[in-house]
Amino acid sequence: MEKTDEKKEFEKERAKELKAKSQQAEERLLGIADSLYNQFLQGIVPHISLPSRTKNNIEFSSAEDVWVYGDQETTRSVKTVRGAKTLLKTVHLAELLIKEHLKNNRGSTLREIYYISENWDIAKFHEQAESDRLIEDLEIVTTMHREDFHVRPEEDGAAVFGPLRLKEQTRRGEKEMHCQEDVGEAGYQIPFNVDNIQFLNHDAKMVMAIETGGMYARLIENGFDEEYHAILVHIKGQPARSTRRIIKRLNTELNLPVVVFTDGDPWSYRIFASIAYGAIKSAHLSEHLVTPSARFLGVQPSDIVDYNLSTDKLTEKDMQALRSELTDPRFNTPYWDKQIKLQLDLKKKAEQQAFAGKGLDYVTKKYLPERLSEMGII
């Protein structure tokens, strides 16, 4: 009975927190409309100012050890037809979030919001990328997160497998599980709001974020998680916010080192950057999502030579991406300068699965132990 009462009290407090958060989100969204209206009354051309979301406008915050937006701004104004339409769409979107989401305690996926706009006449979105950007704009202006607006992404399939017991608060109550013993082969599915998770206990010594599903499955099948006490996180390509958030929480709350294991190409280096440095388009969330101490495990360009890996030729698009990374302030380190220039010289790239050419156990018996030992993780 006592446990049941504690659970009811927890759920009551959680409901109060969510209600307060929704009220705060509503007030800040209404504040945008209020600001535009007051500008109109004062004879000021209605506008919204936002930080410029480019690599030329990100700077390192030594206080938080993450990359954030600088002082350069862009203005959305009704001075132009394009600007007026963008502000109209922004106001329609804010109205949807207030009336349908926050007041009725309901939510939509990013994809659903795009389709909802079909009924907005000239304010409808031309593509989902447009509505996604405006959601990000509202996050920046209100200094809140899309989860506070009850907006969720599509299912992304990211998962966790390893020696970790956790508790998740769901609409149907609490759910407790061990991420090795109580899950299937795919592991524990990461929810879109990771802050509903409570870590209970663990027997882990590291967190390994893995780009591809094939390598994630290989490590589980080979028992790497058990042998090296590793929490494996399948990031499934470019990681979703929820994936980056759980990695950060595992690092900061459990004091576990994080390594990132990807393919050896420029696009995979950007996957690592989004985890360790922050993504340019979501630099306003860096403090919430980024794990500055995360380290790149591989596949490194130098591994192509050292392990004589099977490779593919770099395309011209790959080469352009690598050159761009050499001018990206996030990659301005001796390590990345050396590795990227080596890859440009080699004109080759390699996938994680290239290790299979040396045997299915090679990656877990030789490559990973050697690399982790070099890094001082094991």
Side-chain angles (χ1 to χ4, degrees), residues 29 32-34 36-37 46 48 78 84-99 120 123 125 134 138:
L29 288 171
I32 296 173
D34 190 51
L36 292 171
Y37 181 66
I48 293 176
V78 300
K85 281 188 175 181
T86 298
L87 280 185
L88 177 63
K89 294 174 183 181
T90 302
V91 173
H92 268 279
L93 182 55
E95 181 184 28
L96 166 70
L97 298 178
I98 293 171
K99 292 176 65 175
W120 293 355
F125 299 117
L134 287 190
L138 291 177

Side-chain angles (χ1 to χ4, degrees), residues 58-61 65-69 276-278 283 286 290 329-331:
I58 56 172
E59 57 187 35
F60 188 73
S61 168
D65 207 22
V66 296
W67 290 87
V68 297
Y69 290 128
Y277 309 144
S286 289
V290 175
R330 296 173 301 166
F331 289 95

Side-chain angles (χ1 to χ4, degrees), residues 263-282:
D263 287 337
D265 62 53
W267 319 105
S268 296
Y269 308 151
R270 294 179 188 188
I271 287 173
F272 166 74
S274 72
I275 293 172
Y277 309 144
I280 292 173
K281 75 169 189 173
S282 60

Side-chain angles (χ1 to χ4, degrees), residues 34-72:
D34 190 51
S35 174
L36 292 171
Y37 181 66
N38 286 332
Q39 289 172 18
F40 179 78
L41 290 180
Q42 295 169 27
I44 300 171
V45 176
H47 65 278
I48 293 176
S49 295
L50 296 157
S52 175
R53 282 185 263 175
T54 67
K55 71 178 181 181
N56 295 324
N57 190 42
I58 56 172
E59 57 187 35
F60 188 73
S61 168
S62 56
E64 299 297 334
D65 207 22
V66 296
W67 290 87
V68 297
Y69 290 128
D71 297 330
Q72 296 178 30

